[in-house]
Amino acid sequence: MGNSYDKVKNDKNELKEEYDHLVISKQEMSLELRKITSNLESVLKDNEDIKEDKLEMKRDYESTIEELKCNYKTQSVAYNELKLENETLKMQNSLNLKEFEHLNTAYENTDNTKKELESKMNTTLKDFEILKMENTNMKYEIQNHTSKIENLEKF
C-alpha cells in the first residue's frame, strides 16, 4: 500500500515538473512570438516605405518623360533657326537620359528589395503560424497534464 502511494506521489511530482517545464516553454514561445510579431510589423512598415518611394520614383519618372517630350518639341521648333541651340538641347537630352537611366536602375533595385522583403515577410508569417500551432499544442498538453494532476490529487 505504501509503495502505491509513493508511486502516485512520485508520478504526481514528475507531472508537476513536466507541467512547470511546459509553462516555462510556453512563456519562452510567447516571447519569441512577440519578437516575430515585432519583426513582422517592421517588415510591413518597410514595405510601406518602399511603396511610397516607388510612387515618388514613378512621379519623378513621369516628370522626366514630360521634360524630355518638352525638350524634343523645343528642338523641333528651333532646329531650322538655331543650330547652336539645337546642340545645347541635345546635350540636355543626354543628361536627362542619364538621369532617366539612374532612376530606372533605382526603380529596379527598389523592386528587387521589395521582392526580398516580401519573401522574408512570407517566411516570418510561416514561422508565426508554426509557433501559433506549437503554442496551441502546448496549451492542450498543459491542460492534459493539469487534468492528470487533478485526477491524481483526487486519488
Side-chain angles (χ1 to χ4, degrees):
M1 180 83 169
N3 270 347
S4 294
Y5 177 75
D6 290 342
K7 182 175 178 357
V8 168
K9 189 173 180 181
N10 188 32
D11 287 347
K12 179 182 173 184
N13 288 338
E14 287 177 10
L15 285 172
K16 178 73 172 120
E17 286 177 18
E18 193 172 333
Y19 173 79
D20 291 343
H21 175 72
L22 288 172
V23 167
I24 290 170
S25 294
K26 180 183 176 188
Q27 290 169 347
E28 290 172 351
M29 290 177 78
S30 292
L31 178 62
E32 188 64 28
L33 185 59
R34 283 192 292 271
K35 287 179 186 175
I36 287 173
T37 301
S38 175
N39 287 343
L40 179 59
E41 289 170 351
S42 176
V43 166
L44 290 174
K45 168 88 173 75
D46 290 345
N47 196 23
E48 286 302 316
D49 291 345
I50 287 171
K51 284 180 184 177
E52 290 174 16
D53 290 345
K54 189 175 177 181
L55 286 174
E56 184 177 335
M57 286 180 169
K58 184 177 179 183
R59 286 190 294 271
D60 289 345
Y61 170 79
E62 290 169 351
S63 174
T64 301
I65 291 297
E66 288 303 314
E67 187 176 322
L68 287 170
K69 286 178 183 178
C70 186
N71 285 343
Y72 179 76
K73 287 178 183 177
T74 301
Q75 271 184 316
S76 297
V77 170
Y79 179 76
N80 290 328
E81 297 175 3
L82 302 167
K83 294 239 179 199
L84 181 59
E85 187 176 337
N86 186 36
E87 291 301 314
T88 302
L89 288 173
K90 284 182 183 178
M91 290 191 315
Q92 181 63 44
N93 280 338
S94 176
L95 291 175
N96 286 340
L97 184 58
K98 287 179 184 177
E99 179 64 21
F100 171 76
E101 290 170 354
H102 174 72
L103 288 173
N104 195 32
T105 300
Y107 173 80
E108 290 171 2
N109 290 342
T110 300
D111 196 44
N112 289 339
T113 302
K114 177 187 172 196
K115 288 176 185 172
E116 289 172 14
L117 285 173
E118 286 174 345
S119 174
K120 287 178 184 176
M121 183 179 72
N122 288 335
T123 301
T124 303
L125 285 172
K126 288 176 186 173
D127 290 345
F128 174 77
E129 289 300 320
I130 289 170
L131 280 174
K132 226 164 73 174
M133 289 189 325
E134 289 176 357
N135 193 17
T136 301
N137 289 340
M138 190 76 69
K139 188 190 307 179
Y140 289 130
E141 284 182 36
I142 289 171
Q143 289 172 351
N144 187 21
H145 285 293
T146 303
S147 295
K148 286 180 182 178
I149 289 170
E150 289 172 355
N151 288 337
L152 285 173
E153 287 176 346
K154 288 179 186 177
F155 183 79

